[in-house]
Amino acid sequence: MSATERPFLPLLALLLVLLGGCGEKKSEAPRPEAPAVPVLLGEVTTRRVELILEQVGTLTARHDVSLRSESEGRVVEIAFREGQPVRKGEVLVRLDAARVRANIVNFEAQISELNARLENKLRTLERNRPLLDKKLISQLQFDNLETEIAEVRAQIAQARANLVGEEVRLADTVIRAPFDGVAGVRTLSSGDYLKVGDPVVTVVDLDPLEISFQVTEKFKPKFSLGQTVNLQVAPYPDRTFSGRISFLSPRVDEATRTFQVKAQVDNGAKLLSPGLFARVTVITDVFAEAVTVPWESIIQTEQETYLYTVQDNIARKVPVRLGRITPQWAQLLDSELVPGSAVILEGKFASRDGGRVAPKSPSAPGGAQE
């Protein structure tokens, strides 16, 4: 090597060192830890929970009849006032019964005359019996007398039947309330002539009323006679009316898989009316110490329902199955959460399973926005 090449050797070595250093992998800096999510906490509690089944139905009257005339005649008295209570047996309308009464008097006189004739012929028969034994009269004469007696008896029977018919007609000229109720609209006037079958007035029994509704077959074991039902109707949105189950259908409809339930509803105040649409609620189960959480803690998606609990400022995802739900709380079914456990109310959508959280006071300003 010449003397002129020696000064370049140190420079070449330095260049090789620099190039080798450029190929070395740099060490990664540690990632910063995710900040804790600010959360507002609630608490797992226990309470009495009633599971309520809701159905709808229409109120009807147990007795609602349109009375019709069973006799012909002119209206001589209208004794009811429309919309007013009537008692069973109370007279509502009277028809002219003068002709019927005259017929009754006539048939009574006819029966009296026939009875007198019968008695006379019976006495004659008894007087002729010894004569027949002594052959003083023929058997034919005696038989004719017995035939006459039979004919008179038949005439008496017919007259009595006619009398009964007229007495029925007389009773039918007085139209009475068949049960306690309320009289409907008045459509008659004095002097109107009614024929058999003409409408007179409607009478409706308003207390108690009845409601009928359908229930899915799976709830059949939850229903029993005498069980309480509650109702709400649009005219009185702030009032609840109660009744008791009076009928449970023994059959389940094969098409709808439901069975019919009827309940009698107390209507002593006469606030309810037949035809009203009602929302019916029935308690089907009672849990004395049900596990519940604030409704704000629940997260529901198409795939699952869950919430977050917090322990040592760490969020834990817990799948849950819900029972009864209200705007304030939700019942947890088959839950292992114990009363007093903390659950996330605000900040739940920003939380993650195993992530750190920072509980805050409910009165603290600001907070995480969901």
Side-chain angles (χ1 to χ4, degrees):
M1 180 179 296
S2 65
T4 58
E5 292 176 343
R6 288 178 184 156
F8 293 100
L9 291 177
L11 184 59
L12 180 61
L14 178 61
L15 181 60
L16 291 174
V17 171
L18 291 175
L19 291 174
C22 291
E24 293 180 0
K25 185 177 180 180
K26 296 182 180 179
S27 60
E28 294 183 356
R31 292 182 179 178
E33 187 175 1
V37 176
V39 294
L40 181 64
L41 300 181
E43 191 176 81
V44 178
T45 58
T46 59
R47 70 181 73 219
R48 175 185 170 89
V49 171
E50 298 174 342
L51 295 188
I52 297 177
L53 177 68
E54 293 189 5
Q55 296 293 334
V56 294
T58 300
L59 288 165
T60 59
R62 292 189 309 154
H63 306 294
D64 184 346
V65 298
S66 178
L67 299 179
R68 295 180 177 274
S69 178
E70 296 184 10
S71 180
E72 290 190 9
R74 196 168 304 281
V75 176
V76 295
E77 180 186 2
I78 298 176
F80 71 91
R81 296 175 59 190
E82 56 186 1
Q84 295 300 308
V86 294
R87 304 291 294 179
K88 180 179 180 179
E90 182 178 335
V91 175
L92 304 178
V93 174
R94 292 183 189 273
L95 304 181
D96 182 12
R99 183 175 300 177
V100 178
R101 288 193 177 94
N103 290 339
I104 289 175
V105 171
N106 180 52
F107 285 124
E108 287 176 341
Q110 185 178 346
I111 292 171
S112 179
E113 179 186 348
L114 289 171
N115 280 330
R117 188 186 306 175
L118 177 62
E119 290 178 5
N120 182 52
K121 288 186 176 295
L122 287 173
R123 285 194 296 269
T124 301
L125 181 69
E126 292 305 316
R127 286 196 303 268
N128 282 279
R129 195 178 299 279
L131 299 178
L132 177 65
D133 294 338
K134 296 177 180 180
K135 308 297 183 180
L136 297 177
I137 62 172
S138 66
Q139 183 67 46
L140 178 60
Q141 290 176 307
F142 191 84
D143 291 344
N144 288 340
L145 186 56
E146 286 186 327
T147 300
E148 291 174 3
I149 291 173
E151 290 176 351
V152 173
R153 282 176 170 161
Q155 292 172 0
I156 292 174
Q158 182 61 53
R160 284 176 175 169
N162 292 338
L163 176 61
V164 170
E166 290 302 305
E167 289 174 341
V168 171
R169 285 185 59 196
L170 179 62
D172 289 342
T173 62
V174 181
I175 300 168
R176 302 176 183 272
F179 47 79
D180 293 351
V182 175
V185 177
R186 171 177 166 173
T187 60
L188 297 176
S189 298
S190 294
D192 286 347
Y193 190 87
L194 294 182
K195 296 180 180 179
V196 175
D198 284 349
V200 178
V201 66
T202 298
V203 178
V204 182
D205 181 7
L206 294 180
D207 184 30
L209 291 181
E210 188 172 77
I211 189 164
S212 174
F213 53 96
Q214 299 295 124
V215 177
T216 304
E217 60 182 353
K218 70 176 182 179
F219 290 107
K220 197 168 181 61
K222 305 294 184 180
F223 283 75
S224 60
L225 294 176
Q227 187 174 355
T228 299
V229 301
N230 293 317
L231 292 84
Q232 287 187 308
V233 294
Y236 307 100
D238 298 326
R239 294 195 59 165
T240 298
F241 301 88
S242 63
R244 293 191 177 276
I245 293 176
S246 57
F247 170 77
L248 295 172
S249 175
R251 296 183 65 255
V252 173
D253 187 281
E254 295 181 3
T256 62
R257 310 314 307 175
T258 61
F259 64 98
Q260 186 182 36
V261 179
K262 291 183 180 181
Q264 291 188 9
V265 183
D266 178 64
N267 192 31
K270 304 298 189 294
L271 297 177
L272 301 174
S273 301
L276 278 178
F277 183 80
R279 184 172 65 88
V280 186
T281 57
V282 184
I283 297 174
T284 58
D285 273 303
V286 176
F287 298 87
E289 294 187 353
V291 177
T292 60
V293 294
W295 173 242
E296 301 97 308
S297 67
I298 300 297
I299 301 174
Q300 291 181 303
T301 69
E302 293 183 357
Q303 292 76 28
E304 59 182 341
T305 300
Y306 61 96
L307 53 73
Y308 284 106
T309 62
V310 174
Q311 188 174 8
D312 299 329
N313 292 342
I314 300 297
R316 296 297 181 191
K317 179 180 176 180
V318 179
V320 294
R321 190 164 65 92
L322 303 182
R324 184 180 174 187
I325 298 173
T326 75
Q328 293 76 36
W329 50 265
Q331 178 191 8
L332 303 185
L333 301 177
D334 307 323
S335 175
E336 296 182 357
L337 295 179
V338 297
S341 300
V343 293
I344 297 177
L345 305 182
E346 295 180 7
K348 60 181 181 286
F349 293 114
S351 302
R352 61 182 180 84
D353 190 27
R356 293 191 308 118
V357 295
K360 62 181 181 179
S361 169
S363 60
Q369 299 295 321
E370 299 188 29

